[in-house]
């Protein structure tokens, strides 16, 4: 399977989150939780001091309102597939049980055996249920990962970015992280996945908005591929070059200077008319040093988004044991969709998580160094504009 891109079109028009959420129960107190009472009694090794819905959140890492909404997305597909799953005591596995098992597998990062033991299921059943959920969610939840479609939506994103550190007309922050894998060294094909830090890994590249929502992703490439090469392989890059992305309203700065729409990234990316990276070097003039400080502070939103993604969906946080390289990009995509759903539904679970920004421990910055003269001109104009906004 080729790299997964978060910008691909969905086959069906989906309902808005608010509509589906209310249809499936907009309050945690609404709807039956009998299935959860039964399931929690069967759990082994997942005991918690919390009870009821608090225990629900501690085990599945989301509120029941968010759970109900996720169920509303995948129910039609998952119920249509044949399969009679049972617990070790012979009782049937309900639809809600199936979704709960899949979410536990994705959020805990525990092995199939450990998740199965906890719920009283065979590890092969956990694998089947998780994959059924992934197949359905990647199709039914894709509308939660989209580039802004209206001028008003983009204007709000630009405004929020500018409030961070003053960067005008900024539309996103790009960053990349590695999902590590444990592969057999005896297999010659494993060398393809060996990256610069001597780990077997797959790369995830994401463009993030000010609320840490993923707006575009690319995954599936080996981790040894340089960030700029991953970016240049993306549909986003191709659309930008055609003038079909980041082609919205320009803003006028003093002295009749126009600034087009752009995204920002670190030195692992090229300086382009639509991609602004920091100045390279240590002993920089104050104007450039100040620009770099503001640029770096704004990029934190992407660091935090990727760190939260891995913290929330731990299946991609540690080292995955011999994963199927064709299925892994789809699992990564679904984790990104779930990350966005939590933001879109304003699930308070996100408020309970720490704001870490270390998502790629052990990996060192690699420098691209490539630049376009139009990108150089725009960055200089931005740095000059920001220097004039400095306090006296």
């Amino acid at each position: 399977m080729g790299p997964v891109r978060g910008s691909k079109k969905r086959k069906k028009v989906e309902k808005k989150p608010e509509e589906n959420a209310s249809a499936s129960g907009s309050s945690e107190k609404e709807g039956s939780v009998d299935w959860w009472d039964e399931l929690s009694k069967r759990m082994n090794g997942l005991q918690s001091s919390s009870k009821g819905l608090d225990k629900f959140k501690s085990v599945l890492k989301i509120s029941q309102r968010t759970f109900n909404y996720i169920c509303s997305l995948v129910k039609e597909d998952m119920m249509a597939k044949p399969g009679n799953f049972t617990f070790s005591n012979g009782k049937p596995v309900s639809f809600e049980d199936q979704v709960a098992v899949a979410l536990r597998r994705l959020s805990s990062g525990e092995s199939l055996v450990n998740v199965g033991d906890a719920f009283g299921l065979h590890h092969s059943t956990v694998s089947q249920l998780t994959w059924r959920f992934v197949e359905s969610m990647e199709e039914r939840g894709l509308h939660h990962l989209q580039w802004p479609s209206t001028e008003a939506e983009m204007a709000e994103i630009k405004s929020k970015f500018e409030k961070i550190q003053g960067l005008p007309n900024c539309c996103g922050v790009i960053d990349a992280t590695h999902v590590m894998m444990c592969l057999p060294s005896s297999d010659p094909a494993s060398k393809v996945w060996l990256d610069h830090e001597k780990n077997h890994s797959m790369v995830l590249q994401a463009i993030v908005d000010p609320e840490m929502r993923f707006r575009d992703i690319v995954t599936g490439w080996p981790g040894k591929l340089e960030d700029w090469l991953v970016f240049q392989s993306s549909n986003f890059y191709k659309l930008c070059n055609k003038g079909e992305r980041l082609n919205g309203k320009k803003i006028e700065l003093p002295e009749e200077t126009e600034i087009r729409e752009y995204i920002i990234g670190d030195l692992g990316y090229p300086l382009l008319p639509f991609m602004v990276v920091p100045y390279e070097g240590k002993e920089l003039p104050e104007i450039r040093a100040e620009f770099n400080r503001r640029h770096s502070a704004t990029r934190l939103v992407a660091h935090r988004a990727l760190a939260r993604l891995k913290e929330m969906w731990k299946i991609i946080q540690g080292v995955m044991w011999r994963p199927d390289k064709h299925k892994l990009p789809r699992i990564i995509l679904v984790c990104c969709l779930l990350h966005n759903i939590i933001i879109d539904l304003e699930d308070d679970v996100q408020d309970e998580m720490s704001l870490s920004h270390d998502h790629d421990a052990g990996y060192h910055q690699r420098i691209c160094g490539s630049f376009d003269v139009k990108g150089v001109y725009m960055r200089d104009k931005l740095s000059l504009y920001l220097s004039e906004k400095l306090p006296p």
Side-chain angles (χ1 to χ4, degrees), residues 278-279 281-296 383 390:
Y279 290 99
K282 295 182 179 179
E283 301 297 327
L284 294 172
E286 179 55 30
I287 288 179
R288 294 187 174 188
E290 175 62 22
F291 175 84
N292 278 7
R293 284 192 287 270
R294 291 174 183 255
H295 191 281
S296 177
S383 63
L390 287 173

Side-chain angles (χ1 to χ4, degrees), residues 9-22:
K9 295 181 180 178
R10 61 186 185 278
K11 294 179 181 177
K12 297 182 180 180
V13 176
E14 304 288 352
K15 296 179 181 179
K16 294 180 180 179
E18 295 80 3
E19 293 171 349
N20 275 339
S22 61

Side-chain angles (χ1 to χ4, degrees), residues 44-84:
N44 300 310
L46 297 180
Q47 284 76 16
S48 168
S49 57
S50 304
K51 294 183 179 180
L53 294 178
D54 288 334
K55 182 178 179 181
F56 183 100
K57 190 181 294 186
S58 71
V59 172
L60 300 183
K61 309 302 182 185
I62 56 176
S63 68
Q64 190 177 355
R65 175 176 175 267
T66 301
F67 179 85
N68 288 344
Y69 172 66
I70 291 170
C71 285
S72 76
L73 292 179
V74 301
K75 187 170 186 177
E76 182 180 348
D77 287 349
M78 290 184 68
M79 293 289 282
K81 295 177 181 178
N84 296 311

Side-chain angles (χ1 to χ4, degrees), residues 50-327:
S50 304
K51 294 183 179 180
L53 294 178
D54 288 334
K55 182 178 179 181
F56 183 100
K57 190 181 294 186
S58 71
V59 172
L60 300 183
K61 309 302 182 185
I62 56 176
S63 68
Q64 190 177 355
R65 175 176 175 267
T66 301
F67 179 85
N68 288 344
Y69 172 66
I70 291 170
C71 285
S72 76
L73 292 179
V74 301
K75 187 170 186 177
E76 182 180 348
D77 287 349
M78 290 184 68
M79 293 289 282
K81 295 177 181 178
N84 296 311
F85 301 105
T86 58
F87 290 102
S88 55
N89 62 5
K91 289 189 176 182
V93 180
S94 72
F95 163 69
E96 290 85 0
D97 292 336
Q98 293 179 38
V99 176
V101 169
L103 287 172
R104 178 64 189 182
R105 165 74 171 141
L106 296 175
S107 64
S108 70
E110 295 172 351
S111 68
L112 294 170
V113 172
N114 287 347
V115 175
D117 288 347
F119 285 97
L121 293 167
H122 192 271
H123 67 85
S124 63
T125 302
V126 175
S127 178
Q128 290 180 68
L129 294 179
T130 302
W131 188 241
R132 282 179 173 224
F133 176 80
V134 167
E135 286 184 310
S136 179
M137 178 56 75
E138 70 176 344
E139 178 68 28
R140 299 296 181 174
L142 194 57
H143 58 290
H144 281 280
L145 204 163
Q146 290 183 330
W147 191 252
S149 58
T150 66
E151 188 175 321
E153 189 180 7
M154 183 57 85
E156 184 179 2
I157 287 174
K158 294 176 184 178
S159 175
K160 289 179 178 178
F161 269 126
E162 188 164 6
K163 287 177 182 177
I164 297 175
Q165 283 291 328
L167 288 173
N169 227 31
C170 178
C171 299
V173 182
I174 190 169
D175 200 4
T177 195
H178 294 81
V179 178
M180 290 191 288
M181 306 176 286
C182 180
L183 302 179
S185 56
S186 58
D187 183 359
S190 297
K191 294 180 180 179
V192 173
W193 301 94
L194 197 63
D195 62 34
H196 300 290
E197 303 298 338
K198 306 304 180 184
N199 301 314
H200 292 106
S201 68
M202 182 177 290
V203 71
L204 163 64
Q205 184 172 270
I207 300 175
V208 181
D209 74 14
E211 296 179 320
M212 297 193 286
R213 186 183 287 105
F214 298 119
R215 289 294 185 167
D216 189 278
I217 70 163
V218 176
T219 190
W221 293 106
K224 67 181 179 182
L225 207 63
E226 304 289 3
D227 291 349
W228 64 88
L229 294 177
V230 176
F231 179 59
Q232 288 173 358
S233 78
S234 70
N235 189 50
F236 185 92
Y237 174 82
K238 293 169 185 174
L239 288 173
C240 289
N241 273 337
K242 291 179 183 177
E244 298 174 10
R245 182 63 52 89
L246 297 176
N247 60 343
K249 189 175 180 181
K250 298 178 181 180
I251 63 167
E252 286 194 13
L253 299 182
E255 299 181 6
E256 300 182 353
T257 299
E258 280 191 337
I259 296 295
R260 61 166 292 167
E261 292 183 340
Y262 61 92
I263 59 174
I264 66 172
D266 60 28
L267 288 168
Y269 295 96
L271 177 60
L272 302 170
F274 51 84
M275 164 86 80
V276 178
V277 302
Y279 290 99
E280 191 175 352
K282 295 182 179 179
E283 301 297 327
L284 294 172
E286 179 55 30
I287 288 179
R288 294 187 174 188
E290 175 62 22
F291 175 84
N292 278 7
R293 284 192 287 270
R294 291 174 183 255
H295 191 281
S296 177
T298 306
R299 290 204 320 273
L300 278 178
V301 68
H303 299 335
R304 289 169 176 163
L306 290 169
R308 178 169 287 184
L309 173 75
K310 287 186 169 182
E311 179 63 26
M312 185 77 183
W313 307 104
K314 288 186 170 62
I315 192 169
I316 59 173
Q317 183 186 55
V319 180
M320 299 188 72
W321 176 257
R322 300 187 180 183
D324 184 324
K325 271 82 71 181
H326 298 286
K327 289 183 176 181

